Amino acid sequence: MPIDFKKELENAARSMILVHDPDLLIKILVRAIVEKSGIDHASILLYKPERQAYVLSISGGSLGKKIPIGFASLDKDDSLIRFFRERNCRAIFNSDILTLEEAHAVLKDNNLKERLNNLLSDVIYQMKILDTIACIPCYFRDDLLCILLLGKNRNEKKFLKEELDFFLALASNISMAIRNAQLFKDLESELDKKHQLFMRTTIALVAAIEAKDNYTHGHTTRVTNFSLQIAKRLARKQRKIINEKFLESLHIASLLHDVGKIGIPEHILNKRTVLTVGERNRIEEHPLIGATILKPIKELEESLVGVKYHHERPDGTGYPDGLKGEEIPLIASIISVADSFDAMTTERPYRPALYRNEAIKEIRKFTNLQFSPLVVGAFMELCLEGAL
Amino acid sequence: MPIDFKKELENAARSMILVHDPDLLIKILVRAIVEKSGIDHASILLYKPERQAYVLSISGGSLGKKIPIGFASLDKDDSLIRFFRERNCRAIFNSDILTLEEAHAVLKDNNLKERLNNLLSDVIYQMKILDTIACIPCYFRDDLLCILLLGKNRNEKKFLKEELDFFLALASNISMAIRNAQLFKDLESELDKKHQLFMRTTIALVAAIEAKDNYTHGHTTRVTNFSLQIAKRLARKQRKIINEKFLESLHIASLLHDVGKIGIPEHILNKRTVLTVGERNRIEEHPLIGATILKPIKELEESLVGVKYHHERPDGTGYPDGLKGEEIPLIASIISVADSFDAMTTERPYRPALYRNEAIKEIRKFTNLQFSPLVVGAFMELCLEGAL
């Protein structure tokens, strides 16, 4: 094995540190070993915590030498796995590497205790099935993370001690890289779980608050869907403004746009007759109450803006601040259209629902007065396609 | 430099992959270089994204050779940093390594364009201040992550080409490890932010819900504090049950214990006179309503139990299920004591507040009947210490 190849493999192992997907990592490594060394084929048995088993993740090499995919998983009690987990290899051979040749030699000597003798026989049998002549375990502390299985040299020569030592050093790099990748994956999955927890809890609490208002069942969910659809359509032209962060803020703002209604007395929210001016004024406080509730959460600054201004109108007749045209933040303009469309197409205590087409006409009619033309543009595209 | 030392340093660099704190990583590395090589002292200029500057993170070596801590930060426009960021070193010396010796030689030749000549003069001046005779940059892709600064060999000999090549290879390992550590730190800080967002949003929504009930201002916050204090005290004896996960579930359950009150009409919650049996029954629905709200959030399974059963009593006369003694989950028993203590010590529309000592007596009196003896034990300890 030429020294250049070693360097290349060392470099490959080193740069693997930044591959944070254990499977991809293994794939790259096995390919590098097979392509650049004189080895016929190689594969790796990688421990999968979720399956509590060692899975033959990748098998690479010359055609016909690939290990059948059906033979794909060994559990912890399997002989080959037990042999390495219990460090029998180190005990018998004074080395972590197991070669088929040495295994046969030791077995002939017949100096082993019966239990070990049987275990080693099993291991030899499995190595033959796996078509490997050398197994190199990769440990992290006391955990067996994977076993590297090497096929024959193409020139049919046996491995030199120096070559095996090199693979052992490589195995240490592999262990480190796998462990690192697993830690990364764990952290990413924790982050994902925390995000789910945040979203689910917010949705549940919002639904509970919404249930106080008899006439808006499912309103929040629909407004959230409409808002996100409109924003994604707008993103085709406004990629700089509408990025992942904007979409997340909009998602939360849509969920929370009516949260301020918690501060309005139930008898006003659920009144079946026409509201007095005083009652109407109370209801119109809800965007400001919502903003007040969200104020302490600094991460929701952008969402707060959506909640606070979703009843502003381009003609300046909206509330709470009477903002005009471009003064109204895009996030609020999107919620405004989504909110109005849903309100128009569902029944309210004081009026029946409009048909979908009538509601679309109304929204078009009030473009520039009540609704942002940019947002209505995207809304109309979606309506024409039947997506809304 | 003996080959064993190289191996040791290589191993150090490799195991650094699992050190996910860039500062600690640098500290370990500099110490290893100085302790094991023949170098007088070494230090690292590490880029700190939050400061947008290269900070002299660690300086190790023989006393008196330490670089003054005041000279601690170089920004991106600094000559030494610019020299490496613009890859001038590679352009002039055909190598990434800059030695003071070669720098002097090139400067004498006087073949450089004026701009480069001036830059190199500046760099030489800075190297002298930093007391370094060789600078080794660590890049990740095109980013300069850090510069390794080497002091003199203790035997005053200059570095061999082979030694410098070794340090260059080491630099590549360092880059990878630092990059990896930074990615980890970023992910951890994202997780922390998401957790804060979840907690703050839950607290804000709970406070908004609580505000509907005129007589319980601040109740949730106090109950949450009491619950956590009691649990931490109990943890001294019940370490297996009361772990981090339990405390987090309890925290959330305490925050949400009265969330079901959102489902009770305002006129009942805020009634100033004695409640009718019907009204009392409605109020007693709140633990079940709370459980129903949390049901879709599978991550909050344990918290749900606390919410659902915080009005159960060991004597079996509680609600909603009339559980007895040990049947009541610990998480609910803790909230029960915290909740009752706060309710007793604050004024309610239908009765005045008890003094603290009277409330403590009541809780002791109803041990085994209304309250879990285990929880009351911890509660009494805290009261005696004046912690509650």
Side-chain angles (χ1 to χ4, degrees):
Chain A
M1 193 158 48
I3 202 83
D4 294 11
F5 155 64
K6 281 193 192 178
K7 258 224 153 64
E8 259 186 273
L9 265 191
E10 265 169 4
N11 284 337
R14 207 187 295 138
S15 60
M16 282 189 318
I17 296 158
L18 294 167
V19 177
H20 291 145
D21 172 353
D23 288 311
L24 178 60
L25 198 152
I26 289 301
K27 201 169 179 174
I28 295 172
L29 190 92
V30 169
R31 194 185 298 154
I33 290 175
V34 171
E35 270 179 16
K36 306 208 167 140
S37 74
I39 294 165
D40 204 27
H41 64 99
S43 53
I44 282 184
L45 282 165
L46 175 65
Y47 183 64
K48 299 270 185 175
E50 67 277 15
R51 289 175 61 177
Q52 297 217 25
Y54 291 79
V55 176
L56 193 70
S57 278
I58 291 294
S59 162
S62 57
L63 222 73
K65 288 285 184 187
K66 283 194 182 168
I67 294 151
I69 287 165
F71 192 86
S73 175
L74 302 180
D75 71 23
K76 285 182 181 179
D77 295 330
D78 189 276
S79 300
L80 185 66
I81 304 302
R82 242 174 59 218
F83 186 78
F84 285 108
R85 278 171 64 94
E86 294 168 3
R87 303 260 182 175
N88 287 304
C89 192
R90 176 159 288 275
I92 302 172
F93 300 100
N94 208 16
S95 158
D96 274 335
I97 296 188
L98 174 67
T99 64
L100 198 57
E101 195 192 5
E102 280 194 87
H104 277 303
V106 166
L107 212 59
K108 260 188 202 145
D109 257 10
N110 228 355
N111 266 336
L112 290 178
K113 284 179 188 156
E114 199 188 339
R115 198 195 72 91
L116 271 184
N117 199 80
N118 293 344
L119 185 62
L120 192 56
S121 303
D122 275 6
V123 167
I124 289 174
Y125 174 73
Q126 290 199 308
M127 284 178 76
K128 283 181 182 162
I129 292 179
L130 288 162
D131 198 14
T132 175
I133 63 163
C135 297
I136 298 145
C138 304
Y139 296 99
F140 179 71
R141 291 187 187 139
D142 278 338
D143 293 334
L144 177 67
L145 298 183
C146 70
I147 305 173
L148 183 56
L149 309 171
L150 302 181
K152 283 193 203 67
N153 271 329
R154 266 173 230 136
N155 56 18
E156 301 285 331
K157 279 183 195 153
K158 64 179 192 176
F159 289 114
L160 302 172
K161 189 187 171 307
E162 181 203 289
E163 289 174 323
L164 291 174
D165 282 350
F166 166 75
F167 276 114
L168 205 54
L170 193 68
S172 158
N173 276 330
I174 296 172
S175 300
M176 226 63 91
I178 290 177
R179 182 74 191 132
N180 185 57
Q182 284 172 344
L183 288 173
F184 234 87
K185 232 182 160 180
D186 290 351
L187 205 52
E188 272 173 345
S189 113
E190 229 183 299
L191 181 62
D192 187 55
K193 274 188 200 151
K194 196 62 91 178
H195 179 72
Q196 292 302 326
L197 175 62
F198 163 63
M199 292 306 282
R200 289 203 185 109
T201 305
T202 304
I203 289 168
L205 294 178
V206 164
I209 292 170
E210 195 184 57
K212 303 247 24 144
D213 187 340
N214 295 341
Y215 302 99
T216 55
H217 184 70
H219 171 69
T220 300
T221 308
R222 291 190 300 271
V223 171
T224 304
N225 288 340
F226 295 159
S227 289
L228 289 175
Q229 273 189 279
I230 294 171
K232 280 172 193 161
R233 174 57 55 114
L234 268 175
R236 295 189 186 174
K237 287 165 198 161
Q238 315 269 327
R239 246 173 243 175
K240 276 190 189 163
I241 306 165
I242 303 185
N243 51 23
E244 274 304 308
K245 205 183 145 294
F246 181 92
L247 289 174
E248 201 178 319
S249 296
L250 176 66
H251 193 166
I252 297 163
S254 305
L255 284 173
L256 296 171
H257 76 282
D258 275 347
V259 74
K261 287 197 175 165
I262 186 94
I264 317 290
E266 284 164 16
H267 67 90
I268 300 179
L269 283 182
N270 293 322
K271 197 174 170 191
R272 298 190 65 88
T273 51
V274 177
L275 296 170
T276 66
V277 174
E279 287 166 343
R280 165 80 24 222
N281 287 343
R282 283 303 294 276
I283 285 195
E284 293 188 356
E285 285 171 10
H286 81 271
L288 263 186
I289 298 174
T292 308
I293 292 170
L294 301 185
K295 186 96 192 174
I297 314 168
K298 63 174 191 297
E299 300 93 332
L300 295 186
E301 222 175 336
E302 198 177 6
S303 301
L304 181 149
V305 166
V307 172
K308 184 171 178 184
Y309 296 123
H310 77 281
H311 279 291
E312 297 288 357
R313 301 168 47 129
D315 65 6
T317 64
Y319 56 88
D321 289 355
L323 300 182
K324 279 187 182 173
E326 300 283 306
E327 291 169 0
I328 306 169
L330 180 62
I331 190 168
S333 299
I334 293 173
I335 297 173
S336 169
V337 171
D339 186 29
S340 301
F341 181 63
D342 185 66
M344 283 191 251
T345 50
T346 49
E347 199 184 300
R348 291 294 157 105
Y350 41 85
R351 58 145 183 74
L354 288 184
Y355 287 111
R356 180 178 171 278
N357 285 343
E358 290 173 84
I360 294 171
K361 262 188 212 160
E362 284 287 297
I363 284 181
R364 203 209 298 254
K365 186 172 147 194
F366 286 99
T367 308
N368 287 315
L369 297 168
Q370 190 175 346
F371 305 114
S372 145
L374 187 72
V375 178
V376 174
F379 172 79
M380 295 309 295
E381 281 180 37
L382 289 166
C383 288
L384 285 172
E385 290 168 17
L388 276 190
Chain B
M1 193 157 52
I3 202 82
D4 294 12
F5 155 63
K6 281 193 192 179
K7 256 223 154 66
E8 258 184 274
L9 265 191
E10 264 169 5
N11 284 337
R14 207 187 294 138
S15 60
M16 282 190 320
I17 295 158
L18 294 168
V19 177
H20 291 145
D21 171 353
D23 289 311
L24 178 59
L25 199 153
I26 290 299
K27 201 168 177 171
I28 294 171
L29 190 92
V30 169
R31 193 185 297 153
I33 290 175
V34 171
E35 271 178 16
K36 305 206 169 143
S37 75
I39 294 166
D40 203 29
H41 64 100
S43 53
I44 281 184
L45 281 165
L46 175 65
Y47 183 65
K48 299 270 186 174
E50 67 278 13
R51 289 175 62 176
Q52 297 218 23
Y54 290 79
V55 176
L56 193 71
S57 278
I58 292 294
S59 162
S62 56
L63 223 72
K65 287 286 182 184
K66 282 194 180 167
I67 293 150
I69 286 165
F71 191 87
S73 174
L74 302 180
D75 72 23
K76 284 181 181 181
D77 295 330
D78 189 278
S79 301
L80 184 68
I81 303 301
R82 243 174 59 218
F83 186 78
F84 285 108
R85 276 171 66 93
E86 295 167 4
R87 302 260 182 175
N88 287 304
C89 192
R90 175 158 290 273
I92 301 172
F93 300 101
N94 209 17
S95 157
D96 274 336
I97 295 188
L98 175 67
T99 64
L100 198 58
E101 194 193 7
E102 280 195 88
H104 277 304
V106 166
L107 212 58
K108 259 186 203 150
D109 256 9
N110 228 353
N111 265 338
L112 289 178
K113 283 180 189 156
E114 200 189 337
R115 199 194 71 92
L116 270 184
N117 199 78
N118 293 344
L119 185 62
L120 193 55
S121 303
D122 275 6
V123 167
I124 290 174
Y125 174 73
Q126 290 199 307
M127 285 178 75
K128 284 180 182 163
I129 293 179
L130 288 162
D131 199 14
T132 175
I133 64 163
C135 298
I136 297 146
C138 304
Y139 296 100
F140 178 71
R141 293 190 185 136
D142 278 337
D143 294 334
L144 177 66
L145 298 183
C146 70
I147 305 173
L148 183 56
L149 309 172
L150 303 181
K152 283 192 204 65
N153 270 327
R154 266 174 229 134
N155 56 20
E156 300 285 330
K157 277 185 197 154
K158 65 177 189 175
F159 289 115
L160 301 173
K161 190 187 171 309
E162 181 202 288
E163 289 173 323
L164 292 174
D165 282 349
F166 166 74
F167 277 113
L168 206 55
L170 193 68
S172 158
N173 277 330
I174 296 173
S175 300
M176 227 62 93
I178 289 176
R179 182 71 192 135
N180 185 57
Q182 284 172 345
L183 289 173
F184 238 88
K185 229 181 161 182
D186 290 351
L187 204 54
E188 272 174 344
S189 112
E190 230 184 299
L191 180 62
D192 187 55
K193 275 187 198 152
K194 196 62 91 180
H195 179 73
Q196 292 302 326
L197 176 61
F198 163 63
M199 292 306 283
R200 288 203 185 108
T201 305
T202 304
I203 289 167
L205 294 178
V206 165
I209 292 170
E210 193 184 59
K212 302 249 27 145
D213 186 340
N214 295 342
Y215 302 98
T216 55
H217 184 71
H219 171 71
T220 301
T221 307
R222 291 189 302 270
V223 171
T224 304
N225 288 341
F226 295 158
S227 289
L228 290 174
Q229 273 188 280
I230 293 170
K232 281 172 191 160
R233 174 55 56 113
L234 269 175
R236 296 188 185 175
K237 287 164 196 162
Q238 315 268 327
R239 246 172 244 177
K240 276 191 189 164
I241 307 166
I242 303 185
N243 51 24
E244 275 304 307
K245 205 182 147 295
F246 181 92
L247 289 174
E248 201 178 318
S249 296
L250 176 65
H251 193 165
I252 297 164
S254 305
L255 283 173
L256 296 170
H257 77 281
D258 275 347
V259 73
K261 286 198 176 165
I262 187 93
I264 316 292
E266 284 165 16
H267 67 90
I268 299 180
L269 283 182
N270 293 322
K271 196 174 170 191
R272 298 190 66 88
T273 51
V274 177
L275 296 171
T276 66
V277 174
E279 288 166 342
R280 164 84 18 224
N281 287 342
R282 282 303 294 277
I283 285 194
E284 292 189 355
E285 284 171 12
H286 82 271
L288 262 185
I289 299 174
T292 308
I293 292 171
L294 300 185
K295 186 96 191 174
I297 314 167
K298 64 174 191 299
E299 299 93 333
L300 297 186
E301 222 175 335
E302 198 177 6
S303 301
L304 182 149
V305 166
V307 172
K308 185 171 178 184
Y309 296 123
H310 76 281
H311 280 290
E312 296 288 356
R313 300 167 48 129
D315 64 7
T317 64
Y319 55 89
D321 290 355
L323 299 182
K324 278 186 183 173
E326 301 282 305
E327 291 170 0
I328 306 170
L330 180 61
I331 190 167
S333 299
I334 294 173
I335 298 173
S336 170
V337 171
D339 187 29
S340 302
F341 181 63
D342 186 65
M344 284 190 248
T345 50
T346 50
E347 200 184 302
R348 289 295 157 104
Y350 39 87
R351 58 146 182 75
L354 288 183
Y355 287 111
R356 179 176 172 279
N357 285 344
E358 290 173 83
I360 295 171
K361 264 188 210 160
E362 283 288 295
I363 285 180
R364 203 210 297 254
K365 186 170 146 195
F366 286 99
T367 307
N368 288 315
L369 297 169
Q370 190 175 344
F371 305 114
S372 144
L374 186 72
V375 178
V376 173
F379 171 80
M380 294 310 294
E381 279 180 38
L382 289 165
C383 287
L384 284 173
E385 291 168 17
L388 275 189

